[in-house]
Amino acid sequence: MSPRTAEHMTWHQAHHAVDGVMVHPSDGEAWKRFNSVHPHFSAESRNVRLGLCTDGFNPFGSFAAPYSCWPVILTVYNLPPGMCMSMKRLMNNKKRLMTSFTK
């Protein structure tokens, strides 16, 4: 990780949420619940919090095929919203994903 990115990894600790407005996962109830259940982990703001999601699809449109593709996207939630949700910071971005199917 670059030093410029590393300085943003504790952003979620200093961020102050506005009531009723969710701009980052740290504003949500799940984040707060995780902090209360795992106080030892949440005490250190540099601990990395990751989000993992996947969605199955068939890239060739034939549902009779015996296989499917499951892209996996890993997101670093420690970063500010503009950084953690950018295509550059996602661990598997669309360009690389689609390029792998066309070769």
Side-chain angles (χ1 to χ4, degrees):
M1 180 177 302
S2 75
R4 290 183 304 168
T5 303
E7 70 186 35
H8 295 288
M9 289 296 286
T10 59
W11 176 88
H12 62 94
Q13 188 74 21
H15 166 70
H16 297 289
V18 177
D19 287 339
V21 178
M22 186 171 168
V23 296
H24 188 268
S26 64
D27 299 336
E29 291 300 318
W31 189 289
K32 294 170 188 166
R33 170 89 172 122
F34 183 88
N35 285 349
S36 67
V37 172
H38 304 284
H40 183 68
F41 181 87
S42 61
E44 176 55 66
S45 63
R46 293 177 295 178
N47 285 336
V48 179
R49 296 177 186 234
L50 302 172
L52 181 68
C53 63
T54 184
D55 185 19
F57 72 98
N58 189 321
F60 305 109
S62 172
F63 292 108
Y67 56 85
S68 63
C69 296
W70 291 83
V72 176
I73 299 172
L74 188 63
T75 307
V76 180
Y77 283 137
N78 291 58
L79 298 170
M83 293 177 78
C84 74
M85 300 300 174
S86 71
M87 289 301 288
K88 179 182 175 184
R89 297 269 189 303
L90 292 176
M91 299 291 184
N92 187 0
N93 67 41
K94 184 178 178 181
K95 184 177 180 182
R96 279 193 310 222
L97 180 67
M98 297 316 288
T99 304
S100 65
F101 293 125
T102 58
K103 291 184 178 177

